[in-house]
Amino acid sequence: MRETERDTRSGTPHTRGNPPASEPGAGGEAGPEGSLTDVEGLLVGHAHRLDDGWLSGTTVVLAPPEGVVAGVDVRGGGPGTRETDALTPGNLVERVHAVVLSGGSAFGLAAADGVVSWLAERERGYPVGPAPHQVVPVVPAAVLFDLGRGGRWTARPDAALGREAARAALAGGTPAEGNVGAGAGAVAGGLKGGVGTASTRLPSGITVAALVAVNPSGPVVDPGTGALWAEPHRVPPARVHAAALRAVEEAGRETERLTPNTLAAPLNTTLAVVATDAALDPARARRLATTAHDGLARAIRPVHLLSDGDTVFGLATGACPLPKDGAARLAETNAVLAAGADVLCRAVVRGVLAAESVRTPGGVFPSHRELYGPREAGRGGPDPTARG
């Protein structure tokens, strides 16, 4: 297991050999890049610190200047959020200008301050006066727990890191995966977690995509077989899984030795953004976030625990109108909602497979690719003909 690399560059992938573009969900085909940015108009930027006691970062999803329709669904028992109440359908604000996912627990919410200031300087926000600069950017945020994993408790995202991630988003490009941004310090049930992203294009031409920072209390691997919960047909050899279990147990003991009496129990949280170019209203955007949680439940077991703050944001740019006919409109809306769960499940798998092992003064976090070998992300779901 290698030591943490020095990497303070915004949006720079900490991992090498990331999985290729995502495969499609049911009834769709993969988007051009297999990422959240396949939804035209959305940009993603990462900023993180991986040295000097740090193992944390921030990810910003940047909306077009006019903003996007948004909703949110918080399911975890220990959430840390900002401006999520503003997204309740029926409230004044219907559009957001960015979404922030960050490490640092409650302290990491400060990263959103930097994004708000950065947007205000560019006159992007909800207008509250006649002058162009009289705007209030709407930037909901959610945080995950990674405190102390780099070795220094006070090494956590702040407003400056939020600004850095916003600048990285504006630069464009395909989002990096693995040990980047909000996934820099993520841990998934004893394995190193990370950022993953996936997309699909429905037969109608509508795109649905997801980005997730995988940091759950519950495991992503079936402890009985070694298969990822999301890919039960891809079972590793028994000897490989047995060795992996021993390595995870040993890593846990070493982490306890390095950080005695630091934490009484694991604290985590998985954060996600699911987006579409379909024309959804705020209520349907919230429903997109709600159904997307099913994707988390397919890939993480158990999920939504008291020690998790699992939060999913749903975004809709509105570029693709839904059918006017009532029955057709309902069918297409349901297809979008189902695809949201599919792509979020796939994004979790990609985040786990892209992550790399880390050893810091704060702990030892082995990766799936180190223990089970690097490989591509498959479609997921049961496949009785596959042998793993």
Side-chain angles (χ1 to χ4, degrees), residues 56-244:
S56 189
T58 298
T59 296
V60 171
V61 178
L62 188 64
E66 67 274 14
V68 294
V69 173
V72 66
D73 191 354
V74 180
R75 294 286 183 91
T81 59
R82 164 178 170 153
E83 291 208 74
T84 50
D85 283 354
L87 304 185
T88 302
N91 284 351
L92 175 65
V93 171
E94 295 187 348
R95 290 177 172 266
V96 303
H97 304 94
V99 174
V100 173
L101 310 180
S102 185
S105 190
F107 303 102
L109 290 171
D113 292 338
V115 179
V116 169
S117 298
W118 185 88
L119 287 166
E121 291 165 5
R122 287 154 183 80
E123 300 178 348
R124 296 169 70 162
Y126 183 82
V128 294
H133 71 279
Q134 293 176 319
V135 297
V136 177
V138 181
V139 182
V143 291
L144 57 80
F145 191 97
D146 58 6
L147 292 174
R149 289 179 182 163
R152 186 156 60 93
W153 185 260
T154 57
R156 53 215 182 200
D158 55 13
L161 202 68
R163 292 180 70 93
E164 190 176 329
R167 288 196 299 267
L170 191 62
T174 303
E177 298 177 285
N179 302 16
V180 296
V187 176
L191 295 176
K192 183 68 181 74
V195 169
T197 186
S199 73
T200 188
R201 183 179 292 118
L202 302 180
S204 63
I206 289 174
T207 297
V208 185
L211 181 142
V212 62
V214 187
N215 186 61
S217 296
V220 293
V221 171
D222 180 347
T225 68
L228 292 170
W229 289 120
E231 297 183 348
H233 57 279
R234 302 188 71 162
V235 180
R239 59 177 177 77
V240 172
H241 179 47

Side-chain angles (χ1 to χ4, degrees), residues 35-42 61 63-64 67-71 95 198-202 204-211 273-282 284-289 291-292 312-322 332-341 343:
S35 76
L36 190 72
T37 54
D38 286 336
V39 177
E40 188 173 356
L42 297 183
V61 178
V68 294
V69 173
R95 290 177 172 266
S199 73
T200 188
R201 183 179 292 118
L202 302 180
S204 63
I206 289 174
T207 297
V208 185
L211 181 142
V273 174
V274 179
T276 181
D277 52 11
L280 304 182
D281 62 19
R284 296 296 181 266
R286 181 176 182 176
R287 180 56 57 181
L288 177 63
T291 56
V312 177
F313 294 95
L315 306 182
T317 66
C320 294
L322 294 170
E332 191 62 29
T333 302
N334 280 338
V336 171
L337 300 180
V343 293

